[in-house]
């Protein structure tokens, strides 16, 4: 587990663990262009759409040739932008996915969600961002689907949906609304949200990185999780370290709403023979392949392509013989060779 990463700012947005370390509340800022280690395919056009009074900014990727399908690309947790990046954390996960899909004739839409890039906080303020919940996040993704349908002519029930990390849960929530005919769940959240956070924060405490605060985290986590699940709020007398690690009042609505959804149950409701790509990696410090197994079992009735990577990090970058650590969170590394092959295979099956 990597060192705790602390993004302190006025504009808090709900977070989960991102690329291997515990993230906290972040600031809504636009990222500089970090470039990509892959060759681009197709061309991007800037687009906007409205949802609940907020103007969302995104990019529509069009293939160089004929468009044979369309996909919505959904990012991971925190202030992750349309390309799959955050301030201080470059991976290009989604823009590289757009490159791969465009090479197979698949148009795609990716956008800056609340707290990220050009969209920023939208109608929220630093004082009201605690009113933003996971339900709103899914609503915004559904609004993006309407734009994608309008621009490509592909019906909502026929689009493909790709979700990375927390975006995997958003993708499954859209499926439960009747959206999508194929899904790519890339290093997805494989269990209830608060269960994963508890496992990650307990591992962080056990690693020694929290010092004298480790015992407080172990003691407070069960009480905080129970409060979020029963009341939708955190305890009034919560230990400050737990709030600092993201389980706080500003994130309470988002966390409690997201935790109500069990990815395993949602996956079990997908239609038989739905083309699904599910990935995990031995070098993913966020989500282990063992944690993904119940989700894999729940998808057994689908047309499942399960990929167990050996050298990809959580951002689907190539580590090769290197061990995962803080450096690969910051640096933009080449795209994972295993992921490139996997998404090519899925694109051919799903389109």
């Amino acid at each position: 587990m990597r060192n705790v990463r602390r993004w302190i700012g006025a504009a808090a947005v709900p977070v989960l663990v991102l690329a291997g370390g515990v993230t906290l509340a972040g600031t809504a800022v636009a990222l500089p262009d970090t470039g990509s280690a892959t060759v681009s395919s197709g061309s991007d056009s800037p687009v906007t759409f409205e949802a609940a009074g907020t103007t969302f900014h995104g990019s529509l990727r069009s293939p160089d040739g004929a468009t044979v399908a369309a996909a919505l690309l959904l990012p991971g947790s925190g202030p992750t932008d349309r390309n799959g990046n955050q301030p201080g954390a470059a991976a290009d996960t989604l823009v590289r996915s757009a490159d791969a899909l465009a090479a197979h004739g698949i148009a795609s839409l990716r956008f800056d969600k609340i707290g990220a890039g050009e969209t920023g906080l939208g109608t929220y303020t630093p004082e009201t961002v605690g009113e933003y919940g996971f339900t709103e996040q899914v609503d915004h993704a559904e609004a993006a689907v309407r734009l994608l349908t309008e621009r490509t002519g592909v019906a909502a029930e026929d689009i493909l949906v790709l979700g990375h990390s927390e975006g995997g849960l958003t993708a499954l929530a859209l499926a439960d609304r009747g959206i999508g005919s194929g899904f790519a769940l890339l290093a997805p959240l494989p269990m209830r949200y608060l269960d994963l956070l508890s496992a990650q924060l307990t591992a962080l405490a056990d690693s020694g990185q929290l010092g004298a605060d480790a015992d407080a985290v172990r003691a407070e986590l069960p009480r905080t999780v129970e409060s979020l699940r029963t009341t939708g709020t955190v305890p009034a007398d919560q230990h400050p370290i737990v709030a600092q690690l993201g389980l706080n009042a500003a994130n309470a609505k988002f966390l409690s709403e997201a935790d109500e959804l069990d990815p395993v149950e949602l996956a079990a409701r997908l239609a038989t023979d739905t083309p699904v790509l599910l990935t995990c990696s031995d070098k993913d410090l966020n989500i282990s392949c063992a944690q993904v197994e119940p989700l894999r079992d729940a998808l057994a009735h689908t047309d499942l392509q399960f990929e167990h990577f050996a050298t990809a990090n959580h951002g689907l970058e190539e580590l090769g013989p290197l061990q995962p650590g803080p450096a690969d969170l910051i640096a933009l590394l080449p795209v994972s060779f295993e992921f490139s092959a996997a998404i090519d295979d899925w694109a051919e099956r799903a389109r």
Side-chain angles (χ1 to χ4, degrees):
M1 183 73 67
R2 300 178 188 174
N3 293 330
V4 176
R5 303 186 62 250
R6 297 179 177 179
W7 295 336
I8 306 301
V13 292
V15 299
L16 177 65
V17 176
L18 174 67
V22 175
T23 62
L24 305 186
T27 53
V29 296
L31 277 177
D33 182 7
T34 55
S36 176
T38 58
V39 177
S40 179
S41 179
S43 57
D44 276 345
S45 300
V47 293
T48 60
F49 63 92
E50 300 290 324
T54 289
T55 299
F56 287 83
H57 296 259
S59 297
L60 179 67
R61 175 67 61 92
S62 299
D64 291 325
T67 295
V68 299
L72 178 67
L73 313 185
L74 298 168
S77 62
T80 307
D81 71 4
R82 72 187 77 173
N83 291 337
N85 300 326
Q86 292 190 6
D92 271 3
T93 309
L94 296 189
V95 71
R96 288 169 168 176
S97 297
D99 288 336
L101 296 177
H104 293 270
I106 301 174
S108 63
L109 173 63
R110 59 194 197 276
F111 64 95
D112 297 330
K113 64 178 181 177
I114 292 293
E118 291 183 78
T119 300
L121 287 179
T123 59
Y124 297 97
T125 68
E127 293 74 31
T128 65
V129 73
E131 298 171 8
Y132 174 60
F134 187 76
T135 301
E136 282 79 14
Q137 179 165 292
V138 181
D139 290 343
H140 300 160
E142 186 170 359
V145 169
R146 290 193 289 271
L147 173 67
L148 183 60
T149 293
E150 176 186 317
R151 291 298 186 93
T152 64
V154 179
E157 61 269 24
D158 294 327
I159 70 162
L160 306 175
V161 185
L162 179 151
H164 175 246
S165 194
E166 179 190 285
L169 181 62
T170 310
L172 289 172
L174 286 177
D176 217 42
R177 297 184 179 189
I179 294 171
S181 63
F183 300 87
L185 307 177
L186 310 178
L189 193 154
M191 62 185 70
R192 290 180 67 184
Y193 210 111
L194 292 174
D195 288 341
L196 182 60
L197 271 179
S198 295
Q200 292 171 332
L201 295 181
T202 298
L204 183 68
D206 292 344
S207 73
Q209 295 182 59
L210 297 181
D213 290 323
D215 287 341
V217 169
R218 294 189 193 96
E220 284 287 307
L221 266 176
R223 189 168 73 99
T224 298
V225 168
E226 179 65 17
S227 179
L228 284 166
R229 284 179 169 168
T230 57
T231 70
T233 61
V234 297
D237 59 345
Q238 182 185 52
H239 193 285
I241 185 62
V242 178
Q244 194 175 27
L245 290 171
L247 278 73
N248 52 48
N251 292 336
K253 180 183 179 184
F254 187 95
L255 292 173
S256 60
E257 288 184 357
D259 183 71
E260 291 176 357
L261 302 178
D262 186 339
V264 172
E265 293 181 359
L266 294 175
R269 295 205 286 265
L270 289 180
T272 301
D273 297 332
T274 300
V276 178
L277 169 62
L278 174 66
T279 77
C280 71
S281 178
D282 293 334
K283 292 191 176 182
D284 186 336
L285 294 181
N286 260 21
I287 297 164
S288 71
C289 287
Q291 289 174 323
V292 171
E293 274 302 308
L295 186 57
R296 179 186 181 184
D297 291 342
L299 290 165
H301 66 291
T302 67
D303 180 12
L304 178 62
Q305 176 189 344
F306 175 65
E307 301 286 353
H308 183 145
F309 300 151
T311 58
N313 66 9
H314 186 65
L316 302 172
E317 297 170 296
E318 181 61 47
L319 292 182
L322 300 177
Q323 292 302 308
D328 66 78
L329 177 66
I330 300 169
L332 182 63
L333 303 176
V335 66
S336 160
F337 302 114
E338 296 165 306
F339 168 62
S340 292
I343 195 169
D344 281 345
D345 290 346
W346 176 76
E348 279 299 304
R349 291 191 308 113
R351 67 179 192 157

